[in-house]
Amino acid sequence: MLTLIILLTLIREIQSQSPVITRTMLNDTIIVQLNFTTVLPVFVNEGFDLIDPNAGMVLASVAGSEVEVNQTYMATFTNLAPSSVFTVEFHFNNGTNVTEEITFLYTAPNKPLISIVLQSSTSVRASFTTTTSTRYEACITSSQGGSCTFTTVKSSNTFSRLTPSGNYTIKVKAMFHSSSSEIASMDQVYTAPNSPTVNVASKTADGFQVIFNEMSSTTSYKVCIYLSSNRSCTPTEEISPKNYGGLIKSGNYTIEVVAIFQDVYSDPTIPPPHYTAPAEPTINLLSRTESNITVEFLGSSETDSFKACIYENGTSECTPAPEESPKVYDAFSNQTYFVRLVAIYQSKESSAVSHMIAPLVDVPTTQPPPETTAASSSSQKFTAGIFLFGLLLFSR
């Protein structure tokens, strides 16, 4: 019985001599620490071997030394490949040679790189790259502070539910099994502003005014205007309101406005197309009779319709109303008339033109007095001489 008790005590003492193992895994370094809390006099640490478990070969060794109570023995293996798996064997002698293994030691991946792929008003899409990992943990937080909870993501991730014109920080670490890389961080990641509101006002025959506004922290705007049939436009920075004039007749124009915050562009706001007025039409007189006038209206190929009216010379100008060509007007033959005409394209009216239509019969003019003959002139002179001679005699 006494022999059994002594044997069990010896076994417990030997078992208690297994070390406390601490492992540290970095991206290119593995550190193994052993701490023996109790020892027997003959207990000797004989060293460490770093082993590639796939090839089954020793990659490096660290010599050991005699064990002392509560002493830590450390083996450091450096210049290792990141995202790799290793095994460390350590050897000791407590009367017999003993080898123990520390398995599944992982070096961490390289520190990842962060690239911004897309920024909208409420989200940011980022991509992460390393040469040795495809699994990451990432988070985003306001640059003004706040918690950042890492979640597992793939090599790209969209951070959503953000605030327009916001300033954020993205943090990410690459993962390989249970080991992680250093944390990579990118500051000053901005979300885009909201799309601006756009109104078109002060419309003229050859232009219009564009008014735009965005309520968040927009720093500037860019505006692009182009013919809808042929998009060729370089956006220019503008201040609201912006006037555009001298545009082509019968033009179909598209307007795009973006708001900008810290070089991040909003989605464009594109109001409905705006049309400019057509070119001025022409009026041709087809015929004039005793009782009517017939005219035709000619416009550009884009003209949709016409408005026209007629008024007598000396009266107030009339207001054009929708008419079709040719048009017959009742008229007096001896009156001068004016036909007033506008062309219409997409509800836009051209400038009005007027055409004078002369009377059918000319108004008679006053006839000059009959021409005096030479004979009648001599007779008149003789009569006047006699009259003067009589007056002279009477005065005597």
Side-chain angles (χ1 to χ4, degrees):
M1 183 64 178
L2 180 58
T3 303
L4 179 58
I5 293 174
I6 294 172
L7 180 58
L8 291 175
T9 301
L10 181 60
I11 292 173
R12 282 198 299 271
E13 187 172 358
I14 292 173
Q15 290 175 340
S16 69
Q17 294 168 10
S18 295
V20 177
I21 303 171
T22 302
R23 63 191 76 186
T24 303
M25 295 171 286
L26 305 175
N27 64 323
D28 66 346
T29 301
I30 291 177
I31 302 173
V32 176
Q33 295 175 307
L34 307 178
N35 184 268
F36 295 89
T37 57
T38 60
V39 295
L40 294 176
V42 296
F43 201 91
V44 176
N45 168 23
E46 295 188 347
F48 302 84
D49 291 329
L50 180 71
I51 298 173
D52 180 351
N54 295 319
M57 59 183 297
V58 176
L59 301 177
S61 298
V62 175
S65 60
E66 186 175 349
V67 176
E68 296 179 7
V69 178
N70 289 327
Q71 182 175 349
T72 298
Y73 296 88
M74 182 172 67
T76 301
F77 301 96
T78 60
N79 299 320
L80 305 180
S83 300
S84 300
V85 182
F86 298 95
T87 296
V88 170
E89 290 183 352
F90 63 93
H91 313 280
F92 57 91
N93 189 323
N94 61 355
T96 60
N97 290 325
V98 178
T99 298
E100 291 193 10
E101 288 185 340
I102 306 173
T103 57
F104 302 113
L105 297 171
Y106 306 107
T107 50
N110 291 322
K111 185 177 180 179
L113 299 175
I114 304 174
S115 300
I116 302 301
V117 178
L118 183 65
Q119 294 151 283
S120 74
S121 59
T122 58
S123 66
V124 172
R125 185 165 185 82
S127 64
F128 317 118
T129 54
T130 66
T131 57
T132 56
S133 181
T134 57
R135 186 169 64 91
Y136 303 87
E137 290 186 0
C139 66
I140 191 169
T141 184
S142 171
S143 294
Q144 297 178 349
S147 60
C148 193
T149 303
F150 285 91
T151 58
T152 300
V153 298
K154 296 181 179 180
S155 57
S156 65
N157 185 66
T158 299
F159 301 96
S160 56
R161 298 181 180 178
L162 306 180
T163 302
S165 300
N167 184 357
Y168 292 89
T169 296
I170 294 176
K171 298 179 180 180
V172 63
K173 52 187 177 181
M175 304 299 298
F176 180 69
H177 293 279
S178 59
S179 63
S180 62
S181 70
E182 297 178 65
I183 295 176
S185 179
M186 177 179 283
D187 298 323
Q188 297 180 336
V189 178
Y190 300 103
T191 50
N194 287 316
S195 297
T197 58
V198 179
N199 293 306
V200 180
S202 301
K203 302 171 184 177
T204 62
D206 64 347
F208 42 80
Q209 183 183 77
V210 183
I211 304 170
F212 38 89
N213 183 44
E214 195 275 327
M215 299 305 296
S216 63
S217 302
T218 294
T219 55
S220 61
Y221 299 89
K222 283 192 175 181
V223 181
C224 190
I225 177 172
Y226 55 91
L227 287 169
S228 302
S229 60
N230 182 22
R231 190 188 191 288
S232 177
C233 180
T234 301
T236 57
E237 189 168 322
E238 303 292 355
I239 298 175
S240 180
K242 171 64 178 178
N243 293 313
Y244 291 94
L247 305 179
I248 69 169
K249 304 292 186 179
S250 302
N252 178 355
Y253 284 92
T254 295
I255 305 164
E256 295 185 13
V257 183
V258 295
I260 306 170
F261 173 68
Q262 297 291 344
D263 292 328
V264 182
Y265 287 47
S266 72
D267 292 332
T269 297
I270 305 175
H274 181 76
Y275 302 93
T276 53
E280 294 178 353
T282 57
I283 304 168
N284 282 343
L285 175 62
L286 297 181
S287 65
R288 177 156 192 183
T289 67
E290 294 286 339
S291 59
N292 60 56
I293 295 170
T294 303
V295 291
E296 69 171 346
F297 311 137
L298 301 175
S300 63
S301 59
E302 293 84 6
T303 299
D304 299 324
S305 60
F306 298 96
K307 286 184 178 180
C309 63
I310 190 170
Y311 63 96
E312 292 182 11
N313 183 31
T315 63
S316 300
E317 289 186 351
C318 59
T319 301
E323 298 288 1
E324 294 185 358
S325 179
K327 174 64 179 176
V328 178
Y329 291 105
D330 293 334
F332 295 105
S333 61
N334 62 344
Q335 289 289 341
T336 298
Y337 290 91
F338 289 90
V339 175
R340 198 159 182 250
L341 177 67
V342 296
I344 301 173
Y345 169 67
Q346 295 291 339
S347 301
K348 298 294 184 297
E349 296 184 2
S350 70
S351 300
V353 295
S354 294
H355 182 76
M356 185 186 77
I357 300 177
L360 184 63
V361 178
D362 291 338
V363 176
T365 59
T366 302
Q367 296 294 323
E371 185 177 352
T372 304
T373 63
S376 63
S377 177
S378 299
S379 174
Q380 289 174 358
K381 291 179 179 178
F382 177 76
T383 302
I386 294 175
F387 177 74
L388 291 174
F389 179 74
L391 287 177
L392 181 61
L393 290 177
F394 180 78
S395 63
R396 289 182 178 181

